[in-house]
């Protein structure tokens, strides 16, 4: 990098002062405070890990987090072990029976999804929880294991200060419509296509 002369430094300072004024005005215009309904969807990697990133951020303020997993069952994951360190600041329920092609049992999958949703409702009603992660709820909705209208109505009717993050591919349009923040993870490149298997600490 070439040396910065005084004239350039002054130009930069003036430009940044202008930018700060614009930025401050924009921030001042945003006054609403509310619990958000967040949806992480799309074909790329990062939906669940981004939700847990938010959980970590919330825990940083000493606030409580709930997690309900609709697909993952008893199997060990790094995130579950890591969040266990936070003790009762994290309420964790892995209610799934595993992938549908593994269980091959529709009745069991539907019952598991409904039990998971009952847990979700219970945690939504718990005022000590600040953030609720409903991991892979989109999958249960996609396969019609749960009533879409009832789920969306309950999410919309959540406590004013409760943040909820829903993850999973193929989010239903009604949920996207109801959400405050929707992020579509794009699959630009995935190592799976190159024959790389699921890696400890990266996928589980
Ligand atoms: P993560 O849990 O790593 O944040 P995710 O929640 O976005 O991933 P899911 O749709 O829940 O992804 O899929 C679970 C697994 O599938 C993850 O282990 C992830 O690495 C893998 N996966 C995600 N996207 C792709 C893809 N485009 N191709 C192949 N595998 C993928
Ligand atoms: Mg996921």
């Amino acid at each position: 990098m070439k040396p910065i002369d005084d004239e350039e430094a002054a130009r930069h300072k003036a430009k940044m002062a202008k930018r700060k004024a614009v930025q401050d005005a924009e921030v001042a215009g945003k006054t609403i405070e509310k619990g958000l309904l967040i949806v992480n969807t799309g074909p790329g990697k990062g939906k669940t890990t981004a939700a847990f990133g938010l959980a970590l951020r919330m825990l940083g303020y000493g606030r409580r987090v709930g997690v309900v997993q609709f697909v993952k069952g008893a199997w060990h994951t790094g995130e579950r072990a890591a969040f266990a360190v936070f003790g009762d600041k994290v309420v964790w329920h892995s209610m799934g029976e595993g992938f549908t092609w593994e269980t091959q049992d529709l009745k069991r999958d539907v019952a598991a999804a409904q039990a998971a949703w009952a847990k979700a409702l219970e945690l939504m009603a718990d005022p000590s929880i600040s953030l609720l992660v409903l991991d892979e709820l989109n999958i249960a909705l996609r396969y019609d294991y749960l009533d879409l209208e009832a789920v969306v109505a309950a999410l919309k009717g959540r406590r004013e200060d409760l943040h909820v993050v829903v993850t999973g591919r193929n989010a239903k349009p009604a949920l996207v419509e109801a959400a405050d923040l929707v992020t579509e993870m794009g699959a630009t490149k995935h190592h799976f296509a190159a024959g790389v298997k699921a890696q400890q600490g990266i996928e589980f």
Side-chain angles (χ1 to χ4, degrees):
M1 208 187 147
K2 65 178 173 53
I4 298 162
D5 61 31
D6 289 351
E7 198 186 316
E8 194 186 346
R11 237 188 354 253
H12 176 83
K13 192 171 167 32
K15 195 169 144 191
M16 289 306 126
K18 224 186 251 172
R19 187 178 292 176
K20 182 171 159 47
V22 172
Q23 198 80 27
D24 288 352
E26 204 187 326
V27 170
K30 302 197 193 320
T31 53
I32 301 167
E33 205 167 325
K34 64 172 287 200
L36 298 170
L37 178 56
I38 302 171
V39 176
N40 293 347
T41 191
K45 177 172 164 64
K47 301 174 286 293
T48 297
T49 44
F52 290 144
L54 291 182
L56 201 56
R57 185 170 276 172
M58 194 58 87
L59 287 164
Y61 293 94
R63 291 164 72 177
R64 293 185 84 217
V65 167
V67 176
V68 179
Q69 294 196 294
F70 283 78
V71 173
K72 286 182 191 118
W75 76 72
H76 178 94
T77 61
E79 55 268 34
R80 185 163 191 176
F83 280 117
V85 171
F86 291 91
D88 72 358
K89 289 286 183 195
V90 178
V91 186
W92 191 294
H93 297 283
S94 296
M95 308 286 292
E97 297 276 11
F99 298 117
T100 49
W101 56 89
E102 294 287 354
T103 63
Q104 302 175 5
D105 185 335
L106 184 59
K107 267 193 190 160
R108 214 172 81 182
D109 288 348
V110 171
Q114 289 178 350
W117 177 243
K119 273 287 169 216
L121 287 173
E122 199 183 300
L123 293 181
M124 278 167 75
D126 179 344
S128 74
I129 303 261
S130 295
L131 173 81
L132 179 59
V133 177
L134 302 178
D135 189 33
E136 316 297 351
L137 171 60
N138 287 338
I139 309 302
L141 291 172
R142 186 186 183 195
Y143 293 119
D144 294 322
Y145 293 171
L146 300 170
D147 182 58
L148 176 66
E149 260 180 54
V151 168
V152 170
L155 290 172
K156 275 185 168 172
R158 72 193 181 282
R159 294 195 325 265
E160 250 177 39
D161 58 343
L162 176 68
H163 301 289
V164 177
V165 192
V166 175
T167 83
R169 293 165 191 227
N170 304 103
K172 291 276 190 181
L175 179 62
V176 168
E177 169 76 32
D180 299 288
L181 171 63
V182 181
T183 302
E184 175 98 10
M185 269 70 178
T188 305
K189 197 170 183 183
H190 198 290
H191 47 279
F192 188 67
V196 181
K197 68 177 198 174
Q199 308 281 302
Q200 186 180 68
I202 302 294
E203 339 278 356
F204 60 88

